[in-house]
């Protein structure tokens, strides 16, 4: 199982990972050997086997949807970890380009 | 009095008898860390307030207050567990400088039980690795042989106990990350049943596999710590309300009436003959203690590693999506928002982490999801069914923890697949969600060997009872590195 350079670039884009052209060969080699190994699973016929979807034997654990707030020290620490801020707000680059067409 | 080899039980008894103070105990731990940490590189940081906390516990004890089961006991924490006000990095550059804004549930439970939190232990980068070599801060050395790895990813926590820095450390186990380093460092490591311990405040690797567990010198100590950290937590919807627990009557019984299974699929080529010999001697010891030994079969064992290396990277790539370079962690500005994301992530994540994000993104992507991820979830069902069937006929399953003893630093570093194979005996327990314990059972060329005991979901009691009986009859767990 080997991946093309184009596939490596596509996956990196999906994963929002900047990779350099010179790293592509290493990804091809290392990911290729892992994908080759996991091909092993295709030996098994699993047509009638259910997927294991829940590791815990519980699903749909519900609670009231209530605003609980948090202590001011916790809030302050969370805000202090922001990379860039204006007052208490997280400041980011524009999500949508300014297009008028 | 050598406190560096003291168990929780011994320390507690001495403190209750007035022969030892928590201050003296913590001071001794800090001195050992100071003397040897530069070389071993186990602790990433030490909390300056630990001594003050210890003095407070001593005062409360002197005043006759009723104290928790870990009162005055020093505990080290893997660097992926949140302690309010502490830096937490998961040994990853992407989180360097990040300060936790709240306590993990296990941390608040340790604090309530009176534990003294000593500091953060080294680990593989974002818990991805089996040797602690991928840490952004550099590798930890194995205290038994400083040219060898301590295992991973909780290598710092295992080495901290082995080196006599602390009597207990917490780690996290996604595919063996508590048990494999416990085995390579000659200490006890427990991975609880999925859902037994809350994962709230653990930096997630793979959410359907992760469990937090203790590393200790004795099985009895592991049981004591488990009792403190386990149980339902409203912040983790997968955590389970437990009816009974573990510690009482642990040490009273032999193994009469108990049946243990040896899975034939685990005892095959590739295993170090010295490991096999030590494990079979341990099995004979358990038989001598009254257990009946039978063969069992886990027919899909050989597919576990392949299923794991689809499921784990898939979940990891999703979990690590939160590292956007904006709300916390490493930030690198690009020409627009997308560019900032990909630069922050591309520069902030380490090589192995990026490899797994790429792998997970690929197997989850359109056109490949069915062939890889869905297939792996089906195989996971088959693996769980194997355990369910085998554990109908036996009380527990006994295997080696790791196919080899500790290897040289650098030896497997550039060959990910060979590195992954070192977890071949531990990952099934995570896929099958069952509890598993590793205990020291011998040495090969001066390096520790581990015995793994896996059991029924939520039946940690049986594993701990087997381990405790074994430790009453053997002294491997009392050996310490020169």
């Amino acid at each position: 199982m080997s991946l093309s350079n184009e596939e490596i670039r596509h996956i990196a884009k999906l994963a929002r990972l900047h990779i350099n052209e010179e790293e592509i060969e290493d990804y091809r080699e290392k990911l290729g050997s892992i994908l080759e190994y996991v091909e092993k699973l295709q030996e098994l016929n699993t047509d009638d086997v259910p997927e294991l979807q829940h590791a815990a034997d519980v699903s749909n654990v519900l609670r009231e949807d209530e605003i609980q707030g948090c202590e001011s020290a916790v809030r302050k620490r969370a805000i202090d970890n922001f990379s860039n801020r204006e007052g208490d707000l997280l400041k980011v680059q524009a999500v949508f380009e300014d297009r008028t067409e | 009095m050598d406190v560096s080899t003291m168990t929780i039980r011994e320390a507690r008894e001495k403190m209750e008898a007035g022969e030892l103070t928590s201050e003296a105990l913590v001071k001794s731990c800090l001195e050992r860390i100071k003397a040897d940490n530069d070389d071993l590189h186990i602790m990433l940081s030490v909390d300056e307030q630990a001594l003050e906390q210890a003095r407070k516990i001593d005062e409360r004890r002197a005043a006759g207050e009723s104290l928790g089961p870990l009162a005055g006991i020093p505990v080290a924490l893997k660097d992926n567990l949140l302690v309010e006000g502490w830096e937490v990095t998961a040994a990853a550059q992407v989180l360097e400088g990040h300060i936790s804004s709240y306590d993990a549930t296990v941390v608040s439970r340790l604090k309530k039980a009176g534990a003294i939190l000593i500091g953060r232990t080294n680990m593989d980068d974002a818990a991805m690795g089996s040797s602690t070599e991928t840490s952004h801060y550099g590798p930890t050395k194995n205290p038994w042989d400083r040219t060898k790895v301590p295992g991973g990813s909780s290598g710092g926590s295992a080495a901290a106990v082995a080196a006599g820095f602390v009597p207990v450390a917490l780690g996290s186990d996604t595919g063996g990350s508590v048990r494999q380093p416990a085995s390579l460092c000659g200490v006890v490591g427990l991975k609880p049943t999925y859902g037994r311990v809350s994962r709230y405040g653990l930096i997630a690797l793979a959410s359907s596999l992760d469990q937090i567990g203790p590393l200790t010198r004795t099985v009895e100590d592991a049981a004591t710590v488990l009792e403190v950290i386990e149980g339902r937590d409203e912040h983790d919807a997968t955590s389970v309300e437990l009816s009974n627990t573990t510690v009482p009557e642990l040490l009273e019984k032999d193994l009469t009436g108990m049946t243990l299974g040896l899975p034939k699929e685990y005892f095959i080529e590739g295993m170090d003959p010295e490991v096999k010999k030590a494990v079979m001697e341990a099995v004979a010891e358990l038989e001598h203690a009254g257990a009946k030994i039978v063969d069992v079969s886990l027919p899909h064992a050989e597919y576990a590693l392949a299923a794991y290396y689809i499921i784990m990277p898939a979940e990891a790539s999703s979990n690590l999506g939160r590292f956007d370079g904006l709300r916390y962690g490493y930030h690198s500005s690009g020409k627009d928002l997308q560019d900032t994301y990909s630069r922050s992530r591309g520069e902030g994540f380490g090589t192995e982490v990026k490899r797994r994000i790429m792998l997970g993104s690929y197997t989850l992507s359109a056109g490949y999801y069915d062939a890889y991820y869905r297939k792996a979830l089906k195989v996971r069902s088959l693996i769980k069914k194997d355990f369910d069937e085998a554990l109908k006929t036996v009380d527990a399953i006994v295997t080696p923890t790791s196919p080899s003893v500790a290897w040289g630093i650098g030896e497997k570093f550039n060959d990910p697949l060979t590195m992954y194979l070192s977890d071949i005996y531990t990952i099934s327990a995570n896929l099958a969600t069952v509890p598993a314990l590793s205990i020291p059972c011998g040495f090969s060329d001066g390096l520790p060997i581990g015995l793994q005991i896996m059991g029924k979901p939520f039946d940690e009691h049986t594993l701990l009872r087997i381990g405790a009986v074994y430790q009453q009859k053997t002294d491997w767990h009392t050996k310490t590195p020169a």
Side-chain angles (χ1 to χ4, degrees):
Chain A
M1 179 74 206
S2 71
L3 298 168
S4 67
N5 288 2
E6 204 39 57
E7 281 175 304
I8 295 287
R9 284 191 205 99
H10 176 65
I11 304 163
K13 191 177 168 218
L14 290 177
R16 303 289 186 272
L17 282 179
H18 178 84
I19 59 172
N20 298 318
E21 282 297 307
E22 52 271 27
E23 291 175 282
I24 288 179
E25 189 51 44
D26 190 59
Y27 278 112
R28 282 187 56 181
E29 182 201 326
K30 303 264 167 61
L31 296 183
S33 74
I34 298 165
L35 288 172
E36 195 175 308
Y37 180 79
V38 303
E39 274 300 306
K40 196 178 169 59
L41 296 186
Q42 305 305 330
E43 294 167 11
L44 288 170
N45 182 340
T46 53
D47 290 350
D48 299 323
V49 179
E51 296 153 35
L52 194 150
Q53 291 280 13
H54 298 283
D57 240 354
V58 291
S59 55
N60 297 333
V61 179
L62 302 174
R63 60 167 170 74
E64 292 304 312
D65 188 17
E66 291 167 338
I67 296 172
Q68 294 183 340
C70 72
E71 291 169 32
S72 61
V74 173
R75 181 172 181 276
K76 183 176 182 311
R77 286 212 166 91
I79 291 170
D80 284 346
N81 281 317
F82 291 171
S83 63
N84 204 352
R85 52 193 267 211
E86 204 166 291
D88 280 354
L89 302 177
L90 173 64
K91 190 173 175 181
V92 299
Q93 288 157 297
V95 176
F96 300 106
E97 300 298 324
D98 180 22
R99 289 190 195 141
T100 50
E101 57 198 307
Chain B
M1 176 161 50
D2 184 8
V3 298
S4 70
T5 56
M6 210 173 254
T7 63
I8 295 173
R9 184 203 178 117
E10 287 161 358
R12 191 169 62 191
E13 283 173 358
K14 286 202 186 303
M15 285 192 278
E16 280 166 4
E19 295 165 18
L20 175 71
T21 62
S22 175
E23 185 182 359
L25 180 59
V26 169
K27 210 170 177 178
S28 150
C29 290
L30 296 177
E31 277 164 9
R32 279 188 75 84
I33 292 169
K34 203 169 180 188
D36 218 359
N37 197 52
D38 281 351
D39 187 43
L40 288 170
H41 197 239
I42 289 170
M43 307 297 299
L44 295 179
S45 72
V46 172
D47 187 16
E48 300 298 331
Q49 288 171 25
L51 266 181
E52 184 53 36
Q53 304 283 345
R55 278 193 283 267
K56 275 187 195 150
I57 288 284
D58 289 335
E59 281 164 22
R60 289 175 55 197
R61 195 186 299 279
E65 277 186 50
S66 147
L67 299 170
L70 295 177
I73 303 290
V75 180
L77 299 168
K78 186 176 183 179
D79 189 34
N80 58 0
L81 293 166
L82 273 53
V83 181
E84 187 176 354
W86 282 20
E87 187 179 358
V88 66
T89 70
Q93 185 185 15
V94 77
L95 266 179
E96 196 163 24
H98 180 77
I99 306 295
S100 298
S101 38
Y102 60 94
D103 281 339
T105 297
V106 293
V107 167
S108 57
R109 288 180 179 174
L110 285 175
K111 285 179 174 175
K112 198 168 158 236
I116 310 297
L117 305 180
I118 287 278
R120 302 145 54 216
T121 60
N122 199 16
M123 57 184 281
D124 279 295
D125 187 354
M128 299 192 198
S130 309
S131 65
T132 314
E133 290 168 292
T134 67
S135 167
H136 175 60
Y137 302 103
T140 290
K141 297 177 184 172
N142 191 315
W144 291 91
D145 176 342
R146 296 175 186 223
T147 67
K148 305 281 198 253
V149 300
S153 66
S154 311
S157 287
V161 176
F165 284 6
V166 281
V168 51
L170 291 190
S172 63
D173 190 316
T174 306
S177 280
V178 163
R179 290 161 286 152
Q180 185 258 25
S183 174
L184 270 47
C185 287
V187 301
V188 173
L190 174 68
K191 183 206 85 79
T193 309
Y194 185 82
R196 188 163 196 120
V197 177
S198 166
R199 292 174 291 110
Y200 182 68
L202 165 70
I203 296 173
L205 171 53
S207 302
S208 81
L209 302 163
D210 295 343
Q211 269 292 290
I212 298 164
L215 295 115
T216 56
R217 299 196 175 102
T218 64
V219 171
E220 188 191 14
D221 280 0
T224 303
V225 177
L226 179 65
E227 207 174 21
V228 167
I229 63 175
E230 68 186 0
R232 170 81 188 150
D233 168 26
E234 63 168 10
H235 293 116
D236 176 358
T238 62
S239 67
V240 171
E241 194 76 59
L242 301 165
S243 49
N244 67 339
T245 123
T246 42
V247 181
E249 50 171 352
L250 257 190
L251 299 170
E252 293 163 23
K253 293 179 184 167
D254 61 14
L255 301 179
T256 306
M258 199 175 269
T259 307
L260 305 179
L262 297 181
K264 58 174 193 265
E265 293 82 2
Y266 280 55
F267 292 87
I268 47 163
E269 56 185 302
M271 190 192 300
D272 179 337
E274 291 292 313
V275 170
K276 185 173 180 182
K277 185 164 163 269
V279 167
M280 293 317 291
E281 280 169 10
V283 169
E285 194 69 55
L286 296 173
E287 191 172 20
H288 195 65
K292 189 178 156 200
I293 310 292
V294 299
D295 286 331
V296 290
S297 178
L298 299 169
H300 299 93
E302 64 169 306
Y303 300 99
L305 193 68
Y308 179 79
Y309 271 94
I310 293 173
I311 294 168
M312 179 272 296
E315 293 187 17
S317 70
S318 305
N319 274 326
L320 296 179
R322 66 182 56 129
F323 293 95
D324 55 9
L326 302 175
R327 290 165 299 158
Y328 40 73
Y330 185 91
H331 174 83
S332 176
S333 274
K335 62 178 170 19
D336 56 26
L337 189 60
Q338 294 299 330
D339 195 35
T340 295
Y341 287 152
S342 73
R343 283 186 185 282
S344 297
R345 293 164 59 79
E347 294 164 22
F349 288 130
T351 307
E352 178 63 22
V353 177
K354 283 192 273 195
R355 195 177 288 145
R356 294 196 197 183
I357 290 174
M358 292 282 282
L359 194 57
S361 302
Y362 177 68
T363 59
L364 290 176
S365 65
Y368 299 98
Y369 181 91
D370 283 351
Y372 289 107
Y373 188 64
R374 195 186 299 275
K375 181 83 182 181
L377 291 184
K378 288 178 169 212
V379 175
R380 188 175 180 185
S381 281
L382 293 173
I383 289 163
K384 181 160 176 56
K385 195 158 161 269
D386 285 353
F387 275 83
D388 290 346
E389 291 299 319
L391 288 163
K392 277 181 193 161
T393 59
V394 296
D395 297 290
I397 294 169
V398 180
T399 73
T401 307
S402 167
S404 74
V405 293
W407 59 89
I409 292 172
E411 207 174 293
K412 300 182 183 177
F413 192 63
N414 285 315
D415 185 356
L417 199 53
T418 305
M419 184 76 87
Y420 298 171
L421 284 165
S422 72
D423 294 330
I424 195 148
Y425 295 139
T426 49
I427 50 173
S428 289
N430 301 77
L431 291 171
T433 75
V434 302
L437 176 71
S438 179
I439 54 176
C441 73
F443 290 86
S444 170
D445 282 336
L447 292 168
I449 298 169
L451 178 75
Q452 177 174 241
I453 311 165
M454 299 183 276
K456 296 169 190 165
F458 299 102
D459 188 20
E460 277 78 354
H461 186 101
T462 294
L463 307 188
L464 295 165
R465 189 177 138 198
I466 297 165
V469 166
Y470 182 75
Q471 291 198 329
Q472 280 179 339
K473 295 180 179 299
T474 57
D475 64 355
W476 302 115
H477 61 289
T478 64
K479 310 271 188 229
T480 50

